[in-house]
Amino acid sequence: TDLPGDGVDVWDLVVEGSQSPRTEVPLNVDTSNTGFAAGNFSAIINGTWKLIHGKAGVYDGWWDRSPYRHENVTAAAAAVEVDGVDCWLFDLSRDEEERINVAEANPDVVTALRARLAALADPSAGYVDPQPNTPHMAALPGLHNGTWAPFEETAELV
C-alpha cells in the first residue's frame, strides 16, 4: 500500500525479496537558495532517468575508489541550461556512470521530472526549506584524502 508523502510500502521486498514497488527516488529537494550550496540543489531518479536540477555541487566529476582519485567532467556530461537553470539528465540503463547528459535530446523527460521536483518542493504539500548546513572545518575533504569525513568536536577543534 502506498503511504502518504513519498513513502512506499516495501515490506514484501524486505521479508520476501520481492521486487521493489518504488519507481522513483527523490535524492534531494532543496529550493532554499541559502547556505553552503546556495541555489536550487535538487535531484530525482524516476525509472531509468536521473535528473539533477540546479547546482551540481562543488565536487563534480567522477571519483575512483582505489586509489581515491578524481576525473574531471567531460563536455558530454556538461550542464544544459533549461529556462535559466542548469540541468543534467542521464539514462541510467545505458549510462550507469552518468557520463553523457541527454537533457537536450529528451526535453519531455526533463519537463516531466522538473514538474515532479516542483510538486515535491510545494509548501502546500509539506515542503519546508532545509536548515542551514554549513560544514564544520574539521570535516573538509582536503583534510581527509578528498572525502567528507565525520569528526568529533574536541577542545583542539573548537
Side-chain angles (χ1 to χ4, degrees):
T1 306
D2 285 345
L3 304 173
D6 74 342
V8 175
D9 183 351
V10 294
W11 185 247
D12 290 340
L13 169 70
V14 172
V15 297
E16 299 172 7
S18 64
Q19 186 169 351
S20 174
R22 183 176 288 283
T23 59
E24 172 183 272
V25 180
L27 300 173
N28 194 55
V29 179
D30 181 355
T31 62
S32 64
N33 200 25
T34 61
F36 180 68
N40 187 333
F41 196 66
S42 301
I44 189 167
I45 295 174
N46 188 300
T48 64
W49 299 105
K50 178 178 179 183
L51 178 74
I52 302 170
H53 182 248
K55 293 182 70 169
V58 294
Y59 293 98
D60 202 8
W62 298 277
W63 294 85
D64 203 341
R65 289 182 285 184
S66 183
Y68 202 70
R69 62 186 166 87
H70 178 255
E71 183 181 336
N72 288 325
V73 175
T74 62
V80 171
E81 193 172 296
V82 177
D83 297 330
V85 179
D86 285 345
C87 288
W88 295 260
L89 180 68
F90 302 103
D91 181 349
L92 300 176
S93 68
R94 296 181 176 160
D95 181 19
E96 292 177 354
E97 294 184 342
E98 302 173 13
R99 291 182 179 264
I100 302 171
N101 184 353
V102 296
E104 284 184 327
N106 297 279
D108 53 335
V109 176
V110 172
T111 298
L113 293 179
R114 287 180 69 202
R116 180 61 180 138
L117 284 170
L120 290 168
D122 184 350
S124 70
Y127 173 79
V128 178
D129 283 339
Q131 66 184 13
N133 188 19
T134 305
H136 192 286
M137 296 302 290
L140 293 176
L143 302 174
H144 307 282
N145 194 25
T147 16
W148 286 100
F151 65 93
E152 183 175 336
E153 210 166 309
T154 65
E156 294 127 23
L157 296 175
V158 178

